[in-house]
Amino acid sequence: MWYNMELIKGLIKMLEGCLSDFGFNKSQINHVLNSYSIYKSNKFTIYNLINSNNEWFISHGFSKQEIIKMVTIVPSIYAFSSSKIETKYNYFISFGYTEEQTHKIFSRTPQIIGLSIENIKGKLSYLFSLGYTKKQIIKITYLLPPIIGYSIENIESKINNYNKLGIPKEDIIKMSLMFSGFYSISEDNVNNKIKDLINLGFTYEQVIKMIKLFPPILGLSIETIKEKIDFYRELNILDFIIENPKCLMQSVNLSYARYMFYLMEKNDVINSNTSRRLFVGDKQFSKQFKVTKKELLKRYSYEESRSRLC
């Protein structure tokens, strides 16, 4: 059907007004209306879909801010019928996800709304075939929604890489449930992180052990890890770190402050047998010694100690 230019301009103005009234800013409006799926669609149809989809999302507990963010990321949401969105939403609920989990999956990764039901079912079935239970599938896809959109070849490639590193499939499943970004890290990044850790003085076996015990180490920058390892090597507590790699999440500033606190105020030198004291929870430490984390960091500044050495 042919429309004259004046009518088209009028329809675009109508869409702009509709989006503006809902809360989109000018930049977001231009982005949405110039996206391929919206630009090529019938403007009358899009106008109706915008209103019906907004009504659907709001009726299911989504805020205007969430809707605007989702549509800005995936403008094609306004090219789907609300019934198709409803079908996908209901599928997640019927699988076992709660309404809250489904809400967060949609809002955090709106690209999933664009996947076909067959695609979603196929990916969840594939995760079953790997050995995940339904409960584990819900957990991992909730923690990392984009995995639903990953190709099977992509996931297989990463699993095969971990197998080559000496990590069996059952451990891979456990690790992926401990670290939401597990499948988002490329094989090259994993392999390079292992090489970097070996260059810090660990054996290959120690590195693999640390990764299996605490997979998030794969997401830490090697610069941050190195600074901490250098400090813990000075304290001669690396054996403890290898067995408890989660401790690498604690800042070196806090570890230094606690070390100095024990040394200066408790006349207690932390060693391999007492190293666990450095890593107790903040609340426990504050309650036991009546000093807040903020006060402690100010009292014993790691940065100041380093500057004095330079």
Side-chain angles (χ1 to χ4, degrees):
M1 185 179 292
W2 181 85
Y3 297 101
N4 63 44
M5 289 303 297
E6 289 303 315
L7 178 57
I8 292 175
K9 288 180 182 178
L11 290 171
I12 292 174
K13 278 288 185 184
M14 181 176 67
L15 292 175
E16 289 175 342
C18 178
L19 294 174
S20 178
D21 290 344
F22 191 76
F24 286 82
N25 62 39
K26 188 174 181 179
S27 174
Q28 291 167 333
I29 291 171
N30 288 336
H31 173 69
V32 171
L33 295 184
N34 287 323
S35 66
Y36 182 82
S37 58
I38 304 299
Y39 181 78
K40 292 292 185 180
S41 299
N42 181 289
K43 301 301 183 289
F44 282 119
T45 301
I46 292 298
Y47 179 78
N48 291 326
L49 287 174
I50 288 174
N51 288 312
S52 63
N53 288 354
N54 285 344
E55 288 176 6
W56 185 91
F57 281 116
I58 289 173
S59 71
H60 285 74
F62 292 82
S63 68
K64 284 190 175 183
Q65 290 73 24
E66 286 178 313
I67 298 168
I68 290 169
K69 182 179 179 181
M70 291 160 61
V71 173
T72 301
I73 295 172
V74 186
S76 60
I77 286 174
Y78 279 157
F80 304 136
S81 67
S82 58
S83 62
K84 286 187 177 181
I85 299 173
E86 174 91 23
T87 299
K88 293 167 189 175
Y89 184 89
N90 287 341
Y91 174 73
F92 279 95
I93 300 298
S94 66
F95 187 84
Y97 295 84
T98 65
E99 290 187 3
E100 181 183 1
Q101 289 171 329
T102 305
H103 180 125
K104 289 185 177 179
I105 287 173
F106 275 31
S107 63
R108 289 187 301 186
T109 313
Q111 293 88 343
I112 289 171
I113 300 172
L115 298 177
S116 68
I117 284 291
E118 292 71 26
N119 191 314
I120 296 170
K121 287 181 178 179
K123 194 58 54 60
L124 299 185
S125 294
Y126 169 68
L127 292 174
F128 268 126
S129 73
L130 291 178
Y132 288 93
T133 65
K134 177 180 282 192
K135 184 177 180 180
Q136 290 173 331
I137 289 173
I138 290 173
K139 180 178 180 179
I140 192 172
T141 53
Y142 176 69
L143 293 174
L144 183 67
I147 194 174
I148 299 173
Y150 291 172
S151 69
I152 290 176
E153 292 75 16
N154 182 321
I155 299 173
E156 282 286 349
S157 178
K158 291 172 181 176
I159 289 174
N160 290 336
N161 186 60
Y162 284 116
N163 287 156
K164 290 177 183 177
L165 295 172
I167 303 175
K169 187 172 287 186
E170 55 269 25
D171 284 335
I172 292 171
I173 290 175
K174 292 177 184 177
M175 292 163 67
S176 67
L177 295 169
M178 294 168 63
F179 177 36
S180 63
F182 187 75
Y183 284 117
S184 66
I185 300 177
S186 71
E187 297 95 301
D188 285 344
N189 284 341
V190 170
N191 296 338
N192 288 334
K193 182 61 61 66
I194 289 172
K195 291 177 183 177
D196 288 337
L197 289 169
I198 290 173
N199 288 336
L200 290 181
F202 297 104
T203 66
Y204 180 83
E205 290 73 19
Q206 288 172 332
V207 171
I208 296 301
K209 181 177 184 177
M210 291 165 70
I211 291 173
K212 288 170 70 174
L213 289 172
F214 187 60
I217 195 174
L218 295 170
L220 298 177
S221 73
I222 194 61
E223 293 77 18
T224 298
I225 295 175
K226 183 180 185 306
E227 183 178 38
K228 295 173 182 178
I229 292 303
D230 288 345
F231 177 65
Y232 297 138
R233 181 175 283 116
E234 289 180 17
L235 303 188
N236 195 31
I237 62 170
L238 280 188
D239 286 344
F240 176 82
I241 298 299
I242 292 169
E243 297 295 330
N244 302 273
K246 186 177 181 179
C247 293
L248 288 172
M249 291 297 289
Q250 180 166 294
S251 71
V252 69
N253 302 66
L254 182 57
S255 294
Y256 171 81
R258 287 183 174 179
Y259 176 81
M260 293 303 296
F261 174 83
Y262 282 116
L263 179 64
M264 304 301 292
E265 301 185 33
K266 300 299 176 182
N267 196 31
D268 184 1
V269 179
I270 294 294
N271 56 43
S272 58
N273 296 321
T274 59
S275 51
R276 189 174 296 276
R277 297 181 195 174
L278 289 179
F279 305 101
V280 298
D282 290 335
K283 288 184 179 180
Q284 181 182 338
F285 191 93
S286 296
K287 183 178 181 180
Q288 182 177 355
F289 297 112
K290 312 302 179 187
V291 58
T292 67
K293 178 180 176 180
K294 185 176 181 180
E295 292 169 339
L296 191 66
L297 291 171
K298 184 177 181 180
R299 194 179 302 176
Y300 301 108
S301 170
Y302 178 68
E303 297 301 328
E304 288 182 8
S305 71
R306 291 181 64 192
S307 65
R308 287 195 296 270
L309 293 174
C310 295

